[in-house]
Structure formats: C-alpha cells, structure tokens
C-alpha cells in the first residue's frame, strides 16, 4: 500500500529503504491507535466541508462518511490495523477508504495535509482527555475534604524543615492538598483555551485554494474557533502540547507531595497514619515488611512528567517556522502523560480510601514544643509586651512552654484556615 507522499519511482524494497522507513516511522503506527477515532471524526467533518465547497457530491459525501463510521466500528473491535508500511493512521484510513470506494477514497485528502490532520486529532484527544481528568481531579479533592471532615477533631504535628513546628490537624493537612487540586482544576481554563482552537483546514501551514469553511469545521468539532493564521498551526505544534503536559505535571506535583507525606507519616518513626494491606507490598527476604509501594510509585512518576515536558521543550527549541519532522516526536510525550496522570489520580484515590488515622499515636506526638509560639502569644496578651520580647523569653526557656491538650487547642483557633477552622466547606 502506498504512503500519502510516495511517488511511483520511490524505492521501498532495498535494505536501506526499509531501515530508513523503520527509523522515520518510529512507533507512530502504534501510538496512532489512540488517535484513530479523533482522526475519523475530523475526516468526516472535512468531507462535509468539501461538499459545501463543491468538491464532493451528496452521494460521495454520504459514502465517505458512512465508510469512516465503518472504520470506527472496526477500530472499536480492535481490528483496525496500522502497519509500519502505512506509517500512520492517516495513510491506513485513506487506504481503507480507497480499497472500499476506489478513487473516491483518494478525494478525502483534498485541501488538507497530514500536518493539520495530526494536529486536529491531537487537540481533540487532549480536550477529550481533559474532560475525563478534571472530574476525577475533583473527586480526589472531595475525597480529601471528606477525610479531613471525618477526622476534624484529631490534632497533628505541623512540620517545617522536617522538624516539629506548630500544632496542626488532620483536617488542615488534608485540606491543603484538596485546595491545591481545586486550584489546579480552576487553572484548566488556560490550557483549554490553548487546545480549543481548530487547526483543521490549515493544511501544510499555508492554507489551500479550496474554499473551506473553517469556522463551520471548528464549530462542528466543538472547538471555540479556528486558528486564524495557517502558519500559527504549525508554530503551535509542540508549543501547545508542552503547556498541556506542564498542566498535567502540575497535578502530578501535588500528588508527589501528598504521596511523600503518606510515606513519611506511615513509617515507624512517625506512625500517624496506617495503610491497608491492599496498597502495600512485602519483601522477598524480610517477613515483617509492609512497604508503601503505591505511594512510592505515585511519588516517582512525577519524574516522568518532568521528562515528558523536557522532551517537548527540547524538540521545539531552535526550530524555524513551518513543519519539521522533529515535531513527530512531540506526539508520544502527550499520549504517555495522559495515560500516566489518569493512572496516578486513580492510584491516589485508592491510597486515600486505604488511609487510616492512628489517633493515639498522632495525638501523643503533639508534644510541648508545638505550643512555643502560642506561649509567646500568651505573654504578649498577659504582660503587654512586644512579640519580639515574648519570642526571646520563650526561646531562652522553651521547656517552660505550657503543655496543652492538643484537642482542646483545636477549638481555640477560629480564624479561617487555622487548625480549628480549616475551611473545608469552602474548599
């Protein structure tokens, strides 16, 4: 089967030609399986745009769109094959259309390029992924809020520099992560605006002489608008993807710190929480081990997101305008980032559902030094001295800080965001 760019004289059989093919195709023919339904959707819209432009008849448009729907049914069964000889889904789809419809199948490529094809499919994929990810992000945030509410009466040491600092609470701890996830959700509007512009109809980056109604194409594909300059489409490839992956990396950064805390606070030295056995593993040599592997892998996967972003940033550095084959390498980091963030969010949901508070141990850990700052505030109020003077007095004799009931102390802090009023309802 021929490639979309292939001339009749192209050598495809020599050993060198096959090695070049393997190198240039890479694993795109495998990666594209995830993008097939989006390319089919865009192809159907393009067929209708060609009909509107007078390129396709009613009957031709009907046959093409029906066959595109047939391909989707085959794909859903797992039976649509993309071979290394096809290079990518675009060629595989057009070859299917041509085998089924003859020369009519070749008309689908009128007025477009693989450049705007793949860009449109990727942007549709990104938007679809985001609409799946955001509800799960909210669900995880809700889960943390509920965890905090359930244990709102339980005090907890607060740490700075990994040393005990001030009194905190389980509710305040959980609420902090919940709020960050909410903030990340709210930030999605920025990346949605970037991926929400349609590249379809920009062809190779310079438009075509076919009078395509790009506004209608964009609306039918649920984009907010088309990318106006055809040149901006190719300039955006990799640039938009970098910001999309960086957005997902923002989620993984929060999960990384959440997992790090859970690892720390379920250990022997700070046994504030415990994990159900289902999210832990044992050791092949040490019978007593109960390892927080799920949390460790959530923590570790953040490094992958940093790598995906670095790949995208590096691949697009120093490229002049227009298409370059380097941009082919921007597809894989996006697909992997989506797969990984969905897995990480689900793993974090499982982790929180398996997290238990060791109330006795966590309360006993709220030792006298946590109340040193409160002792200074007490001196300010009782002796009418400056905080700096009170700070010095307590610092010279920290052991004199009055031991307090940690649970009672929670009720004394009432301002928004304090240990006694973490504001979970507002989160």
């Amino acid at each position: 089967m021929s490639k979309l760019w292939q001339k009749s004289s192209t050598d495809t059989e020599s050993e060198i030609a096959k090695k070049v093919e393997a190198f240039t195709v890479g694993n795109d023919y495998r990666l594209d399986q995830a993008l097939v339904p989006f390319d089919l959707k865009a192809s159907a819209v393009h067929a209708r745009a060609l009909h509107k432009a007078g390129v396709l008849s009613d009957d031709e448009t009907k046959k093409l769109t029906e066959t595109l729907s047939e391909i989707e049914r085959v794909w859903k069964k797992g039976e649509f094959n993309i071979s290394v000889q096809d290079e990518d889904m675009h060629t595989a789809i057009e070859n299917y259309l041509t085998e089924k419809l003859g020369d009519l199948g070749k008309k689908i490529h009128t007025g477009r390029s693989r450049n705007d094809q793949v860009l449109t499919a990727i942007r549709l994929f990104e938007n679809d992924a985001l609409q799946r990810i955001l509800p799960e992000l909210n669900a995880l945030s809700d889960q943390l809020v509920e965890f905090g509410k359930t244990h709102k009466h339980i005090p907890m040491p607060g740490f700075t520099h990994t040393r005990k600092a001030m009194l905190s609470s389980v509710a305040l701890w959980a609420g902090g992560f919940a709020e960050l996830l909410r903030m990340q959700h709210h930030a999605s509007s920025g990346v949605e605006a970037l991926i929400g512009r349609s590249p379809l109809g920009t062809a190779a980056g310079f438009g075509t002489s076919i009078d395509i109604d790009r506004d209608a194409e964009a609306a039918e594909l649920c984009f907010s608008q088309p990318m106006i300059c055809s040149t901006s489409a190719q300039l955006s490839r990799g640039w938009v993807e970098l910001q999309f992956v960086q957005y997902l990396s923002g989620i993984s950064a929060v999960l990384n710190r959440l997992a790090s805390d859970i690892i720390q606070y379920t250990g022997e030295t700070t046994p504030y929480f415990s994990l159900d056995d289902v999210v832990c593993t044992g050791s092949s040599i040490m019978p007593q081990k109960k390892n927080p592997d799920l949390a460790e892998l959530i923590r570790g996967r953040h490094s992958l997101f940093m790598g995906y972003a670095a790949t995208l940033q590096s691949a697009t550095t120093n490229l002049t305008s227009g298409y370059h084959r380097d941009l082919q390498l921007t597809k894989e980091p996006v697909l992997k980032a989506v797969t990984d963030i969905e897995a990480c969010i689900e793993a974090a949901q499982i982790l929180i559902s398996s997290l238990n508070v060791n109330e006795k141990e966590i309360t006993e850990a709220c030792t006298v030094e946590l109340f040193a700052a409160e002792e200074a505030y007490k001196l300010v109020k009782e002796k009418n001295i400056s905080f700096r003077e009170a700070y010095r007095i307590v610092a010279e004799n920290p052991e004199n800080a009055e031991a307090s009931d940690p649970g009672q102390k929670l009720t004394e802090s009432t301002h928004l965001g304090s240990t006694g009023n973490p504001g979970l309802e507002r989160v």
Side-chain angles (χ1 to χ4, degrees), residues 5-18:
W5 51 266
Q6 191 172 316
K7 286 81 172 174
S8 58
S9 60
T10 302
D11 173 16
T12 60
E13 297 302 320
S14 72
E15 184 177 349
I16 290 177
K18 289 179 179 178

Side-chain angles (χ1 to χ4, degrees), residues 38-39 41-49 108 110-113 115-121 123-124 197-203 207 212-218 220-221 223 225-228 230 233:
F38 304 102
D39 195 61
K41 183 177 182 180
S43 293
V45 168
H46 185 67
R48 287 189 282 273
I108 194 68
T110 306
R112 70 175 179 180
S113 164
N115 293 309
D116 65 333
Q117 271 189 273
V118 69
L119 260 179
T120 304
R123 300 288 159 79
L124 289 171
R197 293 172 176 247
S198 173
L200 190 58
T202 61
I212 298 292
D213 187 342
R214 296 192 56 232
D215 284 296
E217 284 187 327
E220 192 172 351
L221 289 169
F223 285 109
Q225 67 175 72
M227 301 194 81
I228 297 169
S230 291

Side-chain angles (χ1 to χ4, degrees), residues 156-176:
M156 177 179 180
F159 288 79
T160 66
H161 305 276
T162 70
R163 271 66 169 171
K164 285 184 180 181
M166 293 181 70
L167 185 68
S168 183
S169 66
V170 173
L172 196 60
W173 173 82

Side-chain angles (χ1 to χ4, degrees), residues 300-318:
R301 284 204 185 191
H302 179 55
S303 63
L304 299 180
F305 286 91
M306 296 168 67
Y308 299 147
T311 296
L312 288 164
Q313 194 159 29
S314 299
T316 55
T317 297
N318 298 326

Side-chain angles (χ1 to χ4, degrees), residues 85-100:
Q85 288 76 29
D86 289 324
E87 285 193 304
D88 52 38
M89 61 182 168
H90 318 299
T91 307
I93 289 169
E94 187 169 323
N95 284 338
Y96 189 105
L97 291 172
T98 303
E99 288 176 13
K100 187 85 174 181

Side-chain angles (χ1 to χ4, degrees), residues 140 143-144 147 173 258 262 347-355:
L140 177 57
Q143 198 177 359
L144 284 160
F147 184 86
W173 173 82
L258 173 64
I262 291 174
Q349 290 171 341
I350 294 170
L351 192 65
I352 296 302
S353 68
S354 303
L355 189 65

Side-chain angles (χ1 to χ4, degrees), residues 133-147 174 177-178 181-182 251 254-255 258 344-353:
I133 290 165
L134 293 178
E136 294 304 316
L137 196 62
N138 272 349
L140 177 57
S141 178
D142 289 345
Q143 198 177 359
L144 284 160
V145 166
E146 289 306 311
F147 184 86
F177 288 107
L181 294 175
R182 289 289 184 189
I251 300 172
V254 178
L255 301 186
L258 173 64
C344 284
I345 292 173
E346 183 179 34
Q349 290 171 341
I350 294 170
L351 192 65
I352 296 302
S353 68

Side-chain angles (χ1 to χ4, degrees), residues 37-287:
F38 304 102
D39 195 61
L40 293 172
K41 183 177 182 180
S43 293
V45 168
H46 185 67
R48 287 189 282 273
L50 290 176
H51 173 256
K52 187 176 181 180
V55 176
L56 296 176
S57 67
D58 291 349
D59 184 58
E60 287 175 326
T61 304
K62 183 174 182 290
K63 287 179 179 177
L64 280 169
T65 54
E66 285 178 348
T67 308
L68 288 167
S69 295
E70 177 184 308
I71 295 172
E72 184 168 18
R73 290 192 294 272
V74 172
W75 176 82
K76 285 180 177 178
K77 293 178 182 177
E79 297 173 359
F80 183 71
N81 296 317
I82 305 172
S83 69
V84 67
Q85 288 76 29
D86 289 324
E87 285 193 304
D88 52 38
M89 61 182 168
H90 318 299
T91 307
I93 289 169
E94 187 169 323
N95 284 338
Y96 189 105
L97 291 172
T98 303
E99 288 176 13
K100 187 85 174 181
L101 303 173
D103 285 344
L104 172 58
K106 299 176 182 178
K107 287 189 174 183
I108 194 68
H109 202 62
T110 306
R112 70 175 179 180
S113 164
R114 285 193 300 174
N115 293 309
D116 65 333
Q117 271 189 273
V118 69
L119 260 179
T120 304
I122 288 173
R123 300 288 159 79
L124 289 171
F125 168 83
E126 288 167 343
N127 183 66
D128 181 75
L130 206 56
Q131 302 320 306
R132 293 194 311 271
I133 290 165
L134 293 178
E136 294 304 316
L137 196 62
N138 272 349
L140 177 57
S141 178
D142 289 345
Q143 198 177 359
L144 284 160
V145 166
E146 289 306 311
F147 184 86
K149 286 181 178 179
T150 300
H151 305 291
K152 63 182 180 181
H153 62 288
I154 302 178
M156 177 179 180
F159 288 79
T160 66
H161 305 276
T162 70
R163 271 66 169 171
K164 285 184 180 181
M166 293 181 70
L167 185 68
S168 183
S169 66
V170 173
L172 196 60
W173 173 82
F177 288 107
E179 186 172 6
L180 282 188
L181 294 175
R182 289 289 184 189
M183 290 168 66
Q184 187 68 8
H185 184 285
H186 294 157
S188 67
S189 59
V191 75
E192 284 178 311
L194 289 173
I195 65 179
R197 293 172 176 247
S198 173
L200 190 58
T202 61
F206 310 99
T208 73
S209 58
I210 305 296
D211 191 17
I212 298 292
D213 187 342
R214 296 192 56 232
D215 284 296
E217 284 187 327
E220 192 172 351
L221 289 169
C222 297
F223 285 109
S224 62
Q225 67 175 72
M227 301 194 81
I228 297 169
C229 297
S230 291
T231 48
S232 67
Q234 296 310 315
L235 284 168
S236 77
R237 189 170 178 184
W239 177 76
V240 167
E241 281 59 56
L242 170 61
Q243 292 171 87
F244 175 74
V245 168
Q246 285 175 329
Y247 175 79
L248 301 184
S249 181
I251 300 172
S252 73
V254 178
L255 301 186
N256 170 279
R257 296 189 72 175
L258 173 64
S260 294
D261 266 14
I262 291 174
I263 293 164
Q264 176 70 23
Y265 297 150
T266 55
E268 292 86 349
T269 55
T270 49
Y272 305 156
F273 303 126
S274 60
L275 289 167
D276 294 340
D277 289 349
V278 69
V279 296
C280 299
T281 65
S283 164
S284 63
I285 189 172
M286 295 170 284

